[in-house]
């Protein structure tokens, strides 16, 4: 069953309207010229006109069927012994559309039809009046008609092939833009998911630690319980604000919103200390000026996730943090005591936290390792400053 190409309504109306007008003119031309052209009377003229009109009407809707109808019209014309007429212009339109809109098979059938037509036309026209034996003039006429018909038919086919190439290029360009847009959207979703994980995991770790401390201190030290509840409230409110910001970015992807900077590290350290961690922070050397925003964000998120891991899995409340700001890079490390089983599981499973930290480092061209070292679990990252500008 022949499949029809999808056309817009205006395209279909235009093709059928043009074909109807062409059919009326073709019938007029063929019937009027029939008295001196063929032996079959008006029947031959009508059949030729109908075949070529149908080919013209189907040229974009079904190029393969249109090519078949064009050949039927050509064979009827030769079978009835008719001379070329303006009706034959439909053949050029059909060759054009086979190259422009036809399938791969129809495309090459159109090419073969152009070659075959270029050979058949001169043989048919000159063969009717060949002398016996053929003279030099006869062969010259055959050669001249072969060149002329070949040029005309192949010009129509090549024009369609050029249009086909342009259409394919436009489709590829649209597909590439769509793929790029999808890639950007996916990167945005991954970034937001990573941020959501960082915010929620860190905040919940602090809340859980403070809640446990408040429960144990409720009976013996009400003031400590009150401080723990205040820390829980502050941490939960900050997490809620961050989550709302991320959800806003999901609804409006063009709005990036404010991102954490180095100035927010002090507040992060305070929250971790409030959760019961003995945090030792050293910054040597200090930042030389204002680091790039991407580096500040990466340092904050890596630090946030590393401290969250230390809070959740550490067996000792002591955590050592070191930041070294050099002219071309920043080096950071987070060390804490952790049981061998927990450390091995963390490295082996490669949870979202470790994956997120590595991705943060890779996004700015850096590297990150997270592994046991001399009884401690060490997160160490090196981020280039000059390459991120």
């Amino acid at each position: 069953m022949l499949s029809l190409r999808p056309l817009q309504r205006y395209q279909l109306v235009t093709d059928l309207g043009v074909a109807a007008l062409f059919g009326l003119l073709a019938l007029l031309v063929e019937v009027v010229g029939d008295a001196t052209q063929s032996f079959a009377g008006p029947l031959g003229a009508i059949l030729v006109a109908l075949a070529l009109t149908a080919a013209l009407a189907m040229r974009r809707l079904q190029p393969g069927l249109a090519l078949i109808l064009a050949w039927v019209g050509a064979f009827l014309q030769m079978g009835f012994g008719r001379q070329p007429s303006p009706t034959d212009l439909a053949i050029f339109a059909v060759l054009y559309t086979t190259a422009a809109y036809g399938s791969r098979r129809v495309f090459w059938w159109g090419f073969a039809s152009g070659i075959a037509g270029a050979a058949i036309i001169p043989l048919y026209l000159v063969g009717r009046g060949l002398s016996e034996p053929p003279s030099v003039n006869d062969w010259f006429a055959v050669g001249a008609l072969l060149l002329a018909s070949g040029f005309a038919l192949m010009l129509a086919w090549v024009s369609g092939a050029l249009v086909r190439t342009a259409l394919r290029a436009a489709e590829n360009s649209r597909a590439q833009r769509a793929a790029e847009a999808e890639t950007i959207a996916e990167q945005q979703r991954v970034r937001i998911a990573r941020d959501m994980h960082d915010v929620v995991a860190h905040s919940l770790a602090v809340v859980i630690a403070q809640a446990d401390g408040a429960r144990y201190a409720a009976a013996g030290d009400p003031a400590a319980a009150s401080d723990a509840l205040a820390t829980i409230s502050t941490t939960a409110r900050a997490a809620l604000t961050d989550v709302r910001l991320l959800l806003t970015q999901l609804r409006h992807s063009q709005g990036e919103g404010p991102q954490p900077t180095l100035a927010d590290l002090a507040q992060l350290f305070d929250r971790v200390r409030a959760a019961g961690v003995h945090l030792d922070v050293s910054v040597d050397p200090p930042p030389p000026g204002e680091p790039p925003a991407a580096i500040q964000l990466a340092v904050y998120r890596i630090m946030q996730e590393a401290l969250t891991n230390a809070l959740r899995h550490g067996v000792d409340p002591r955590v050592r943090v070191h930041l070294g700001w050099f002219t071309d890079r920043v080096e950071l490390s987070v060390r804490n005591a952790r049981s061998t089983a927990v450390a091995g599981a963390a490295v082996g499973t490669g949870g979202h936290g470790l994956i997120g930290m590595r991705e943060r480092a890779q996004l700015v061209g850096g590297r990150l390792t997270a592994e046991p070292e001399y009884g401690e679990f060490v997160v160490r990252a090196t981020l280039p400053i000059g390459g991120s500008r």
Side-chain angles (χ1 to χ4, degrees):
M1 183 176 179
L2 294 174
S3 59
L4 302 180
R5 291 182 64 247
L7 296 180
Q8 300 291 336
R9 182 182 297 273
Y10 78 91
Q11 293 176 318
L12 186 60
V13 172
T14 299
D15 285 359
L16 295 180
V18 169
L21 180 61
F22 175 85
L24 293 176
L25 295 176
L27 285 173
L28 180 63
V29 170
E30 295 291 337
V31 171
V32 168
D34 179 71
T36 59
Q37 287 202 24
S38 74
F39 57 83
L43 177 61
I46 293 173
L47 290 178
V48 171
L50 289 178
L52 293 180
T53 299
L56 188 66
M58 298 296 296
R59 70 189 190 281
R60 287 199 293 183
L61 199 59
Q62 177 42 257
L65 178 59
L67 184 62
I68 293 173
L69 291 172
W71 272 110
V72 170
F75 283 128
L76 286 173
Q77 190 175 38
M78 291 185 291
F80 290 130
R82 301 183 62 79
Q83 294 291 335
S85 70
T87 308
D88 297 327
L89 291 175
I91 295 174
F92 297 96
V94 170
L95 281 178
Y96 170 86
T97 52
T98 58
Y101 309 115
S103 64
R104 185 175 181 83
R105 180 177 297 178
V106 172
F107 176 83
W108 289 112
W109 273 116
F111 175 80
S113 297
I115 299 296
I120 292 173
I121 290 173
L123 292 178
Y124 170 72
L125 293 179
V126 179
R128 300 176 63 192
L130 283 176
S131 57
E132 293 293 341
S135 64
V136 175
N137 289 335
D138 291 334
W139 291 116
F140 179 79
V142 169
L145 285 172
L146 177 64
L147 291 176
S149 58
F151 175 80
L153 292 172
M154 294 311 297
L155 178 62
W157 185 87
V158 169
S159 299
L162 292 175
V163 171
R164 183 191 191 92
T165 302
L167 292 175
R168 291 290 176 84
E171 290 177 1
N172 291 339
S173 179
R174 287 194 295 269
Q176 183 178 2
R177 289 195 298 270
E180 290 174 352
E182 180 62 26
T183 300
I184 293 173
E186 180 63 23
Q187 291 175 347
Q188 180 78 345
R189 287 193 292 269
V190 170
R191 183 187 66 80
I192 292 174
R194 186 168 55 241
D195 287 347
M196 187 78 76
H197 172 270
D198 293 345
V199 169
V200 173
H202 171 75
S203 301
L204 287 180
V206 173
V207 167
I208 291 170
Q210 289 295 307
D212 289 340
R215 185 179 58 184
Y216 293 133
D221 191 355
S226 178
D227 292 341
L229 292 175
T231 302
I232 290 174
S233 176
T234 302
T235 302
R237 289 178 187 275
L240 181 59
T241 300
D242 289 341
V243 169
R244 283 175 175 171
L245 173 62
L246 292 173
L247 293 178
T248 300
Q249 293 180 36
L250 281 174
R251 290 192 296 267
H252 308 285
S253 59
Q254 69 274 16
E256 292 295 329
Q259 296 291 348
T261 64
L262 296 183
D264 298 305
L265 282 177
Q267 186 178 4
L268 173 64
F269 295 151
D270 290 341
R271 287 202 302 267
V272 173
R273 289 190 179 101
V277 174
H278 300 297
L279 192 60
D280 180 17
V281 179
S282 65
V283 180
D284 183 32
E290 183 73 12
I295 296 297
Q296 296 188 52
L297 176 61
V299 168
Y300 182 91
R301 291 305 189 194
I302 292 173
M303 191 71 68
Q304 182 183 47
E305 181 59 33
L307 292 174
T308 300
N309 287 342
L311 182 62
R312 292 170 59 189
H313 304 299
V315 296
D316 190 303
R318 291 171 297 178
V319 177
R320 289 180 293 162
V321 172
H322 175 73
L323 272 172
W325 293 90
F326 301 92
T327 56
D328 61 338
R329 71 190 187 282
V330 56
E331 297 180 354
L332 68 88
S333 64
V334 178
R335 297 173 175 268
N336 68 286
R338 185 180 300 191
S339 66
T340 305
V342 173
V347 175
T349 58
H352 292 293
L354 296 181
I355 294 173
M357 286 191 291
R358 289 194 180 97
E359 288 180 349
R360 287 287 183 186
Q362 292 171 359
L363 283 175
V364 294
R367 62 183 184 275
L368 182 142
T369 59
E371 57 191 2
E373 184 178 296
Y374 302 112
E376 296 180 319
F377 191 79
V378 182
V379 175
R380 185 181 288 108
T382 301
L383 312 177
I385 295 179
S388 63
R389 290 185 184 277

